[in-house]
Amino acid sequence: MTETQWKDEVALISARLKEREALGNRILNNPNYIEFSLKLIQQQDPLIATNAAYGLDIALRKDITLLKPYLKEFLVVLDRNTIATVSRILAKSCELLTTAHTKNNSIALNKKEQQQLITRCFDWLINDEKVAVKVFAMQSIYNLVDTEPWVKPELKAQLTLQFENSTAAFKSRASKILTLL
């Protein structure tokens, strides 16, 4: 399948779980569609980018290691994305990625990649984002907390600063992380 054919297919799905799962399973069966999906997300067409992210989300939740060959492209997409729904999906992918790196070593991230993830996740945590994005971001940062000496105190400061005026979901995850810090 060509990139154009993939784009046409992605454009046809709705937000229904069944359709997102079908797209995700297509990616699982043909991982080169990850590259196509990342390119579609990078183009920032709200419908196409969101649909591509939906499929990518399903696939990566099942097997985050599929992202290994496309890590460079993924990091570019992180920096360029401005679509809120896609940010949530990318933030969840960051959490999966950092967990795979720190917990089971199934994905090795070099120092530069770790720094890029930490930077993006701090941006999400500090800026006005939806709570799900912030929760995934704080967990991703925590997963990489030993990367640089400044990360732990900065994460603790941000969580403490935002705690009182945040939602129950934010407080729940922040409490768990603050206890571990």
Side-chain angles (χ1 to χ4, degrees):
M1 178 176 292
T2 68
E3 191 174 329
T4 302
Q5 290 170 319
W6 181 247
K7 181 179 180 178
D8 292 343
E9 196 163 313
V10 166
L12 295 176
I13 74 157
S14 70
R16 289 186 184 141
L17 181 58
K18 186 176 179 179
E19 292 182 33
R20 291 181 300 176
E21 286 177 337
L23 195 65
N25 288 331
R26 299 275 319 268
I27 293 170
L28 283 169
N29 293 327
N30 197 337
N32 71 315
Y33 294 163
I34 293 173
E35 182 178 12
F36 293 167
S37 295
L38 290 171
K39 285 180 181 178
L40 293 177
I41 294 168
Q42 196 170 1
Q43 292 171 9
Q44 292 292 283
D45 174 285
L47 175 68
I48 301 291
T50 301
N51 287 355
Y54 283 151
L56 193 61
D57 181 46
I58 297 292
L60 296 180
R61 283 177 189 245
K62 292 180 180 177
D63 187 0
I64 189 63
T65 62
L66 292 174
L67 193 56
K68 271 186 202 179
Y70 309 102
L71 195 52
K72 182 179 177 182
E73 293 86 350
F74 176 78
L75 293 170
V76 169
V77 167
L78 282 184
D79 286 338
R80 295 190 180 164
N81 178 63
T82 59
I83 302 169
T85 303
V86 175
S87 291
R88 185 198 60 76
I89 293 166
L90 294 174
K92 178 61 181 176
S93 297
C94 288
E95 181 183 6
L96 296 170
L97 190 60
T98 58
T99 300
H101 172 71
T102 58
K103 303 291 189 258
N104 59 24
N105 297 318
S106 58
I107 293 185
L109 298 170
N110 65 39
K111 199 76 156 166
K112 183 179 178 189
E113 292 164 342
Q114 292 174 41
Q115 290 170 343
Q116 286 178 274
L117 288 165
I118 289 169
T119 299
R120 169 48 59 206
C121 289
F122 265 118
D123 287 345
W124 281 328
L125 185 59
I126 293 167
N127 293 326
D128 185 24
E129 297 285 348
K130 300 281 186 185
V131 69
V133 174
K134 287 179 174 274
V135 167
F136 296 142
M138 72 173 79
Q139 185 64 52
S140 298
I141 297 166
Y142 176 75
N143 290 345
L144 298 174
V145 76
D146 295 325
T147 303
E148 297 285 343
W150 62 267
V151 174
K152 186 175 184 175
E154 184 63 27
L155 177 59
K156 190 172 186 175
Q158 282 302 318
L159 296 181
T160 304
L161 179 69
Q162 296 182 43
F163 194 86
E164 288 304 316
N165 297 321
S166 294
T167 65
F170 183 98
K171 288 178 180 179
S172 175
R173 182 68 66 96
S175 293
K176 290 176 186 173
I177 291 174
L178 286 167
T179 301
L180 295 169
L181 292 173

